[in-house]
Amino acid sequence: MAWKELSIEGLAKSLGANIAEVREKQRLVKLIVKTRKAKNLSQAVLAKKLKISQARVAQIESGVGTAKVTFDVLFNMLVALGLDYKVVTRKAA
């Protein structure tokens, strides 16, 4: 079965990853792509700011291996795009 045919749950399980973590990483990747395009930045320009290859930016943006991309990499991408990431405590239900 191709990786694109897997559900988020199936992908997380096959990688032994936490599903909430995979979902949040996917959400951040979508935000990164949306923001980069809104700012009319190419992957190459973003890569140069991050001191990584354009191919690596493309790989991250494609979602391939999302579970293995670390949060610090995603946070660095957000910062390079002028965004912040805020963690808040939820109120108990």
Side-chain angles (χ1 to χ4, degrees):
M1 176 180 289
W3 70 269
K4 286 190 175 191
E5 295 174 5
L6 285 175
S7 66
I8 294 172
E9 293 82 5
L11 178 63
K13 185 177 179 181
S14 71
L15 296 171
N18 179 300
I19 189 160
E21 182 179 324
V22 172
R23 281 189 179 137
E24 184 60 14
K25 287 178 179 180
Q26 287 183 333
R27 189 185 72 77
L28 292 175
V29 167
K30 287 179 185 176
L31 177 61
I32 288 164
V33 173
K34 180 181 174 182
T35 304
R36 180 184 60 75
K37 288 180 178 181
K39 292 183 177 245
N40 293 315
L41 293 176
S42 67
Q43 289 179 340
V45 169
L46 180 57
K48 189 172 182 176
K49 286 183 174 198
L50 295 165
K51 298 180 181 170
I52 61 175
S53 69
Q54 177 274 327
R56 180 66 174 137
V57 172
Q59 180 188 39
I60 292 166
E61 288 188 359
S62 74
V64 174
T66 301
K68 293 186 179 188
V69 174
T70 62
F71 278 111
D72 63 320
V73 168
L74 297 175
F75 294 159
N76 286 336
M77 293 178 88
L78 292 170
V79 169
L81 291 167
L83 299 173
D84 292 320
Y85 186 83
K86 184 177 181 180
V87 177
V88 295
T89 303
R90 293 185 185 175
K91 292 182 180 180

